[in-house]
Amino acid sequence: MKEQVQKLRQVEISAEKVANVRSTQLGAAKMNIKTIKEIPAVFGETDVLRAVLLLPGVQSVGEATTGFNVRGGSADQNLILLNGSTIYNPAHFFGFFSAFNADVVKDVELYKSTIPKNLVAGWRRCWM
């Protein structure tokens, strides 16, 4: 046997922009109200917080409550905003139902890692 080394010609690797990448925000999920209303609902009422429980990385606190944990956190570590205002108790009737009316909500955004700067600035304004 003889050892023979062959030279390769020039190799060019190219790719096109991926069409489905819209932003570089990691850990963000957005659901519009049309998608939320298609989810089967308890007692016929569309529940925004129950729809959030269907997203990956979100776990329910208990079977009959609307509380949720995001990526191993606890329910009291969640920042829930409605039009920039902090919602401290997002449930009513002992946690069975969401406090959000699905008819007035346009969409829901869930951030599982970093929060955008404009939301953090609004959150700090609430505490100062």
Side-chain angles (χ1 to χ4, degrees):
M1 280 204 239
K2 285 187 171 183
E3 186 177 312
Q4 185 176 9
V5 178
Q6 295 198 3
K7 280 188 166 184
L8 296 176
R9 295 183 190 167
Q10 180 180 357
V11 177
E12 186 175 321
I13 300 172
S14 63
E16 294 181 19
K17 178 181 168 186
V18 179
N20 63 353
V21 176
R22 295 189 180 117
S23 70
T24 58
Q25 179 68 40
L26 296 174
K30 188 171 184 175
M31 296 175 68
N32 61 9
I33 196 63
K34 183 180 176 186
T35 305
I36 294 171
K37 286 187 176 185
E38 290 174 355
I39 298 170
V42 179
F43 303 119
E45 290 290 326
T46 303
D47 194 350
V48 175
L49 292 180
R50 295 260 183 230
V52 170
L53 289 173
L54 298 175
L55 295 171
V58 181
Q59 296 175 343
S60 175
V61 173
E63 291 183 21
T65 62
T66 56
F68 58 92
N69 299 333
V70 180
R71 300 237 177 160
S74 63
D76 63 342
Q77 293 175 331
N78 297 331
L79 172 62
I80 300 173
L81 298 174
L82 177 66
N83 293 335
S85 300
T86 305
I87 305 296
Y88 293 105
N89 189 9
H92 63 85
F93 192 63
F94 305 107
F96 287 110
F97 298 106
S98 169
F100 300 107
N101 185 354
D103 294 330
V104 296
V105 174
K106 184 175 86 173
D107 59 11
V108 175
E109 294 180 28
L110 174 71
Y111 298 98
K112 295 181 271 188
S113 58
T114 59
I115 300 173
K117 187 177 180 180
N118 59 347
L119 293 180
V120 173
W123 179 64
R124 286 188 181 152
R125 214 176 19 250
C126 294
W127 289 99
M128 292 181 181

